[in-house]
Amino acid sequence: MPDDRLITHLRHVDLAVPDFDKQVDFYTGLWGLSRVADDSGVVFLAAEGSPEQYIVRIRKDEQKRLDLIAFGVATPADADALAERLLAAGVQLITRPGAMDTPGGGYGFRFFDLDGRTVEISAGVEPRRHRKIEPRESIPVRLSHVVLNSPDAAATRDWYTRHLSFALSDTLAHPHLGEMMYFLRCNPQHHSLAIASGPHTSLHHASFELRGIDEYMFGTGRLLRAGIRKIWGPGRHLAGDNTFSYFADPHGNTVEYTTELEQLDEDAWHPHVYDFTQPEVSDQWGTANPIDEIIAQETFNEPDRGVFVPPPL
Ligand SMILES: [Fe+2]
């Protein structure tokens, strides 16, 4: 692992949408998150199995956008150290480190990444009282990972490895189109973040971990029976060895149910480059629908309106 790593884990993904009620109903109903705090036009959603105060924030806005993605560091001093490091490297901070007024409090700051997404770093957030998810209980245990589209994915990968000390776990490549996705880790989990090559800056997907294979399949079936648009799956990827079922949320953001994402021995790990046109790379089980242009279009999402625009809260 990089010895200057300060980020410990992914905390939450924050979305803004026009049809607030529909979005909240989807995530609290079928998707299985719990509403923990409300403000006017903002709702914070937790996973019952996670100590995070919330893993998704939904904010009402006229325009759909990704508000931010949030990562944790161990201590307020680490937040200060990371802010200093970013400032020294010329990264544009949106806010300086200070007390936060979101659920659980804590100490944090925000900045723009290379593509203009807002990233939040925090420490000292009060843990949420959580519980063990029971066998066959098909609700998310926690947020697993977030994947971002970037017009220059290699440059964004380099930015996250240089400034935030993410490590490259694996790469997906196409024989003619070149490298298409970079899996990045900030702890032994194979990836907490991935950067996909896309036509514009946008959210590719957010992934939620279920308890195990059985719970993942029950959850997948619940979404299918409810008529939620399935984009791809069910299947099991080679990179990360995790299962996948991708669905569209009411605003066309792709969300994933996953489980059994690989934990690496970081000292021994050597990154692979996988040819994702090989069926066993994208879908080891052979159960998913074939990759087609519709899947690609869905995961490109719309160009994000939040590029270099900080969210209002
Ligand atoms: Fe994923």
Side-chain angles (χ1 to χ4, degrees), residues 69-93:
I69 51 173
F71 296 100
V73 293
T75 61
D78 280 356
D80 284 335
L82 187 52
E84 286 305 319
R85 197 203 295 177
L86 293 174
L87 273 173
V91 172
Q92 191 185 345
L93 296 200

PDB file of all heavy atoms in Angstrom, residues 69-93:
ATOM      1  N   ILE A  69     -19.051  12.813  -3.746  1.00  0.00           N
ATOM      2  CA  ILE A  69     -18.741  11.523  -3.134  1.00  0.00           C
ATOM      3  C   ILE A  69     -17.861  11.811  -1.920  1.00  0.00           C
ATOM      4  O   ILE A  69     -17.069  12.764  -1.924  1.00  0.00           O
ATOM      5  CB  ILE A  69     -18.041  10.528  -4.101  1.00  0.00           C
ATOM      6  CG1 ILE A  69     -16.831  11.161  -4.778  1.00  0.00           C
ATOM      7  CG2 ILE A  69     -19.012  10.019  -5.139  1.00  0.00           C
ATOM      8  CD1 ILE A  69     -16.028  10.154  -5.589  1.00  0.00           C
ATOM      9  N   ALA A  70     -18.049  11.005  -0.868  1.00  0.00           N
ATOM     10  CA  ALA A  70     -17.381  11.281   0.404  1.00  0.00           C
ATOM     11  C   ALA A  70     -16.538  10.100   0.846  1.00  0.00           C
ATOM     12  O   ALA A  70     -16.975   8.947   0.777  1.00  0.00           O
ATOM     13  CB  ALA A  70     -18.416  11.599   1.476  1.00  0.00           C
ATOM     14  N   PHE A  71     -15.330  10.416   1.305  1.00  0.00           N
ATOM     15  CA  PHE A  71     -14.414   9.408   1.840  1.00  0.00           C
ATOM     16  C   PHE A  71     -14.049   9.781   3.271  1.00  0.00           C
ATOM     17  O   PHE A  71     -14.015  10.961   3.632  1.00  0.00           O
ATOM     18  CB  PHE A  71     -13.128   9.355   1.011  1.00  0.00           C
ATOM     19  CG  PHE A  71     -13.336   8.911  -0.404  1.00  0.00           C
ATOM     20  CD1 PHE A  71     -13.400   9.835  -1.432  1.00  0.00           C
ATOM     21  CD2 PHE A  71     -13.488   7.566  -0.718  1.00  0.00           C
ATOM     22  CE1 PHE A  71     -13.599   9.435  -2.753  1.00  0.00           C
ATOM     23  CE2 PHE A  71     -13.687   7.155  -2.027  1.00  0.00           C
ATOM     24  CZ  PHE A  71     -13.735   8.086  -3.044  1.00  0.00           C
ATOM     25  N   GLY A  72     -13.716   8.761   4.062  1.00  0.00           N
ATOM     26  CA  GLY A  72     -13.300   8.979   5.437  1.00  0.00           C
ATOM     27  C   GLY A  72     -11.794   8.961   5.579  1.00  0.00           C
ATOM     28  O   GLY A  72     -11.087   8.302   4.803  1.00  0.00           O
ATOM     29  N   VAL A  73     -11.303   9.706   6.575  1.00  0.00           N
ATOM     30  CA  VAL A  73      -9.924   9.567   7.053  1.00  0.00           C
ATOM     31  C   VAL A  73     -10.020   9.270   8.543  1.00  0.00           C
ATOM     32  O   VAL A  73     -11.087   9.409   9.145  1.00  0.00           O
ATOM     33  CB  VAL A  73      -9.075  10.838   6.783  1.00  0.00           C
ATOM     34  CG1 VAL A  73      -8.858  11.038   5.284  1.00  0.00           C
ATOM     35  CG2 VAL A  73      -9.705  12.077   7.397  1.00  0.00           C
ATOM     36  N   ALA A  74      -8.891   8.851   9.150  1.00  0.00           N
ATOM     37  CA  ALA A  74      -8.962   8.323  10.516  1.00  0.00           C
ATOM     38  C   ALA A  74      -9.183   9.393  11.573  1.00  0.00           C
ATOM     39  O   ALA A  74      -9.880   9.150  12.561  1.00  0.00           O
ATOM     40  CB  ALA A  74      -7.692   7.525  10.824  1.00  0.00           C
ATOM     41  N   THR A  75      -8.587  10.561  11.395  1.00  0.00           N
ATOM     42  CA  THR A  75      -8.618  11.580  12.451  1.00  0.00           C
ATOM     43  C   THR A  75      -8.742  12.980  11.840  1.00  0.00           C
ATOM     44  O   THR A  75      -8.374  13.187  10.678  1.00  0.00           O
ATOM     45  CB  THR A  75      -7.299  11.564  13.263  1.00  0.00           C
ATOM     46  OG1 THR A  75      -6.219  11.873  12.363  1.00  0.00           O
ATOM     47  CG2 THR A  75      -7.049  10.208  13.909  1.00  0.00           C
ATOM     48  N   PRO A  76      -9.200  13.953  12.627  1.00  0.00           N
ATOM     49  CA  PRO A  76      -9.185  15.344  12.143  1.00  0.00           C
ATOM     50  C   PRO A  76      -7.785  15.776  11.706  1.00  0.00           C
ATOM     51  O   PRO A  76      -7.642  16.525  10.735  1.00  0.00           O
ATOM     52  CB  PRO A  76      -9.684  16.139  13.351  1.00  0.00           C
ATOM     53  CG  PRO A  76     -10.578  15.174  14.081  1.00  0.00           C
ATOM     54  CD  PRO A  76      -9.906  13.834  13.937  1.00  0.00           C
ATOM     55  N   ALA A  77      -6.760  15.306  12.402  1.00  0.00           N
ATOM     56  CA  ALA A  77      -5.392  15.678  12.005  1.00  0.00           C
ATOM     57  C   ALA A  77      -5.075  15.153  10.603  1.00  0.00           C
ATOM     58  O   ALA A  77      -4.380  15.821   9.824  1.00  0.00           O
ATOM     59  CB  ALA A  77      -4.390  15.120  13.017  1.00  0.00           C
ATOM     60  N   ASP A  78      -5.582  13.980  10.285  1.00  0.00           N
ATOM     61  CA  ASP A  78      -5.382  13.440   8.927  1.00  0.00           C
ATOM     62  C   ASP A  78      -6.144  14.282   7.898  1.00  0.00           C
ATOM     63  O   ASP A  78      -5.672  14.468   6.770  1.00  0.00           O
ATOM     64  CB  ASP A  78      -5.847  11.986   8.845  1.00  0.00           C
ATOM     65  CG  ASP A  78      -4.819  11.013   9.415  1.00  0.00           C
ATOM     66  OD1 ASP A  78      -3.719  11.462   9.796  1.00  0.00           O
ATOM     67  OD2 ASP A  78      -5.119   9.800   9.469  1.00  0.00           O
ATOM     68  N   ALA A  79      -7.329  14.763   8.264  1.00  0.00           N
ATOM     69  CA  ALA A  79      -8.078  15.641   7.349  1.00  0.00           C
ATOM     70  C   ALA A  79      -7.268  16.913   7.089  1.00  0.00           C
ATOM     71  O   ALA A  79      -7.129  17.351   5.939  1.00  0.00           O
ATOM     72  CB  ALA A  79      -9.448  15.980   7.941  1.00  0.00           C
ATOM     73  N   ASP A  80      -6.704  17.482   8.150  1.00  0.00           N
ATOM     74  CA  ASP A  80      -5.857  18.677   7.985  1.00  0.00           C
ATOM     75  C   ASP A  80      -4.648  18.369   7.103  1.00  0.00           C
ATOM     76  O   ASP A  80      -4.295  19.163   6.225  1.00  0.00           O
ATOM     77  CB  ASP A  80      -5.369  19.171   9.358  1.00  0.00           C
ATOM     78  CG  ASP A  80      -6.451  19.898  10.133  1.00  0.00           C
ATOM     79  OD1 ASP A  80      -7.389  20.437   9.505  1.00  0.00           O
ATOM     80  OD2 ASP A  80      -6.366  19.914  11.379  1.00  0.00           O
ATOM     81  N   ALA A  81      -4.018  17.217   7.358  1.00  0.00           N
ATOM     82  CA  ALA A  81      -2.812  16.856   6.594  1.00  0.00           C
ATOM     83  C   ALA A  81      -3.143  16.682   5.116  1.00  0.00           C
ATOM     84  O   ALA A  81      -2.386  17.127   4.243  1.00  0.00           O
ATOM     85  CB  ALA A  81      -2.198  15.576   7.165  1.00  0.00           C
ATOM     86  N   LEU A  82      -4.273  16.060   4.839  1.00  0.00           N
ATOM     87  CA  LEU A  82      -4.659  15.851   3.433  1.00  0.00           C
ATOM     88  C   LEU A  82      -5.000  17.191   2.772  1.00  0.00           C
ATOM     89  O   LEU A  82      -4.612  17.440   1.625  1.00  0.00           O
ATOM     90  CB  LEU A  82      -5.824  14.861   3.344  1.00  0.00           C
ATOM     91  CG  LEU A  82      -6.233  14.421   1.941  1.00  0.00           C
ATOM     92  CD1 LEU A  82      -5.046  13.901   1.119  1.00  0.00           C
ATOM     93  CD2 LEU A  82      -7.319  13.339   2.010  1.00  0.00           C
ATOM     94  N   ALA A  83      -5.694  18.054   3.498  1.00  0.00           N
ATOM     95  CA  ALA A  83      -6.023  19.377   2.942  1.00  0.00           C
ATOM     96  C   ALA A  83      -4.744  20.152   2.625  1.00  0.00           C
ATOM     97  O   ALA A  83      -4.637  20.785   1.570  1.00  0.00           O
ATOM     98  CB  ALA A  83      -6.897  20.156   3.926  1.00  0.00           C
ATOM     99  N   GLU A  84      -3.768  20.087   3.520  1.00  0.00           N
ATOM    100  CA  GLU A  84      -2.488  20.771   3.290  1.00  0.00           C
ATOM    101  C   GLU A  84      -1.787  20.218   2.059  1.00  0.00           C
ATOM    102  O   GLU A  84      -1.238  20.953   1.243  1.00  0.00           O
ATOM    103  CB  GLU A  84      -1.576  20.614   4.523  1.00  0.00           C
ATOM    104  CG  GLU A  84      -1.981  21.457   5.703  1.00  0.00           C
ATOM    105  CD  GLU A  84      -2.089  22.941   5.352  1.00  0.00           C
ATOM    106  OE1 GLU A  84      -1.222  23.454   4.602  1.00  0.00           O
ATOM    107  OE2 GLU A  84      -3.068  23.581   5.791  1.00  0.00           O
ATOM    108  N   ARG A  85      -1.815  18.894   1.957  1.00  0.00           N
ATOM    109  CA  ARG A  85      -1.158  18.250   0.818  1.00  0.00           C
ATOM    110  C   ARG A  85      -1.813  18.673  -0.504  1.00  0.00           C
ATOM    111  O   ARG A  85      -1.133  18.970  -1.487  1.00  0.00           O
ATOM    112  CB  ARG A  85      -1.250  16.722   0.976  1.00  0.00           C
ATOM    113  CG  ARG A  85      -0.274  15.965   0.092  1.00  0.00           C
ATOM    114  CD  ARG A  85      -0.722  14.540  -0.183  1.00  0.00           C
ATOM    115  NE  ARG A  85      -0.751  13.700   1.006  1.00  0.00           N
ATOM    116  CZ  ARG A  85      -1.164  12.430   0.994  1.00  0.00           C
ATOM    117  NH1 ARG A  85      -1.592  11.878  -0.136  1.00  0.00           N
ATOM    118  NH2 ARG A  85      -1.176  11.721   2.101  1.00  0.00           N
ATOM    119  N   LEU A  86      -3.151  18.717  -0.510  1.00  0.00           N
ATOM    120  CA  LEU A  86      -3.866  19.102  -1.738  1.00  0.00           C
ATOM    121  C   LEU A  86      -3.596  20.566  -2.088  1.00  0.00           C
ATOM    122  O   LEU A  86      -3.344  20.899  -3.247  1.00  0.00           O
ATOM    123  CB  LEU A  86      -5.367  18.853  -1.568  1.00  0.00           C
ATOM    124  CG  LEU A  86      -5.773  17.378  -1.438  1.00  0.00           C
ATOM    125  CD1 LEU A  86      -7.261  17.263  -1.115  1.00  0.00           C
ATOM    126  CD2 LEU A  86      -5.465  16.595  -2.713  1.00  0.00           C
ATOM    127  N   LEU A  87      -3.622  21.421  -1.064  1.00  0.00           N
ATOM    128  CA  LEU A  87      -3.354  22.850  -1.311  1.00  0.00           C
ATOM    129  C   LEU A  87      -1.956  23.037  -1.895  1.00  0.00           C
ATOM    130  O   LEU A  87      -1.767  23.787  -2.855  1.00  0.00           O
ATOM    131  CB  LEU A  87      -3.459  23.629   0.003  1.00  0.00           C
ATOM    132  CG  LEU A  87      -4.838  24.122   0.396  1.00  0.00           C
ATOM    133  CD1 LEU A  87      -4.785  24.723   1.806  1.00  0.00           C
ATOM    134  CD2 LEU A  87      -5.371  25.159  -0.597  1.00  0.00           C
ATOM    135  N   ALA A  88      -0.987  22.333  -1.314  1.00  0.00           N
ATOM    136  CA  ALA A  88       0.404  22.462  -1.778  1.00  0.00           C
ATOM    137  C   ALA A  88       0.549  21.988  -3.225  1.00  0.00           C
ATOM    138  O   ALA A  88       1.414  22.465  -3.955  1.00  0.00           O
ATOM    139  CB  ALA A  88       1.328  21.663  -0.855  1.00  0.00           C
ATOM    140  N   ALA A  89      -0.321  21.052  -3.629  1.00  0.00           N
ATOM    141  CA  ALA A  89      -0.257  20.515  -4.993  1.00  0.00           C
ATOM    142  C   ALA A  89      -1.111  21.331  -5.963  1.00  0.00           C
ATOM    143  O   ALA A  89      -1.231  20.983  -7.140  1.00  0.00           O
ATOM    144  CB  ALA A  89      -0.702  19.056  -4.991  1.00  0.00           C
ATOM    145  N   GLY A  90      -1.734  22.398  -5.460  1.00  0.00           N
ATOM    146  CA  GLY A  90      -2.508  23.272  -6.337  1.00  0.00           C
ATOM    147  C   GLY A  90      -3.939  22.823  -6.586  1.00  0.00           C
ATOM    148  O   GLY A  90      -4.597  23.301  -7.510  1.00  0.00           O
ATOM    149  N   VAL A  91      -4.441  21.898  -5.762  1.00  0.00           N
ATOM    150  CA  VAL A  91      -5.833  21.442  -5.916  1.00  0.00           C
ATOM    151  C   VAL A  91      -6.770  22.501  -5.334  1.00  0.00           C
ATOM    152  O   VAL A  91      -6.485  23.090  -4.286  1.00  0.00           O
ATOM    153  CB  VAL A  91      -6.034  20.080  -5.205  1.00  0.00           C
ATOM    154  CG1 VAL A  91      -7.500  19.676  -5.185  1.00  0.00           C
ATOM    155  CG2 VAL A  91      -5.184  19.007  -5.884  1.00  0.00           C
ATOM    156  N   GLN A  92      -7.885  22.728  -6.030  1.00  0.00           N
ATOM    157  CA  GLN A  92      -8.826  23.769  -5.608  1.00  0.00           C
ATOM    158  C   GLN A  92      -9.733  23.278  -4.481  1.00  0.00           C
ATOM    159  O   GLN A  92     -10.588  22.416  -4.698  1.00  0.00           O
ATOM    160  CB  GLN A  92      -9.662  24.203  -6.815  1.00  0.00           C
ATOM    161  CG  GLN A  92     -10.481  25.447  -6.551  1.00  0.00           C
ATOM    162  CD  GLN A  92     -11.391  25.785  -7.716  1.00  0.00           C
ATOM    163  OE1 GLN A  92     -11.225  25.266  -8.832  1.00  0.00           O
ATOM    164  NE2 GLN A  92     -12.368  26.641  -7.470  1.00  0.00           N
ATOM    165  N   LEU A  93      -9.546  23.818  -3.295  1.00  0.00           N
ATOM    166  CA  LEU A  93     -10.435  23.465  -2.188  1.00  0.00           C
ATOM    167  C   LEU A  93     -11.720  24.285  -2.303  1.00  0.00           C
ATOM    168  O   LEU A  93     -11.691  25.460  -2.653  1.00  0.00           O
ATOM    169  CB  LEU A  93      -9.788  23.749  -0.830  1.00  0.00           C
ATOM    170  CG  LEU A  93      -8.542  22.969  -0.418  1.00  0.00           C
ATOM    171  CD1 LEU A  93      -8.359  23.039   1.097  1.00  0.00           C
ATOM    172  CD2 LEU A  93      -8.561  21.518  -0.867  1.00  0.00           C
TER     173      LEU A  93
END
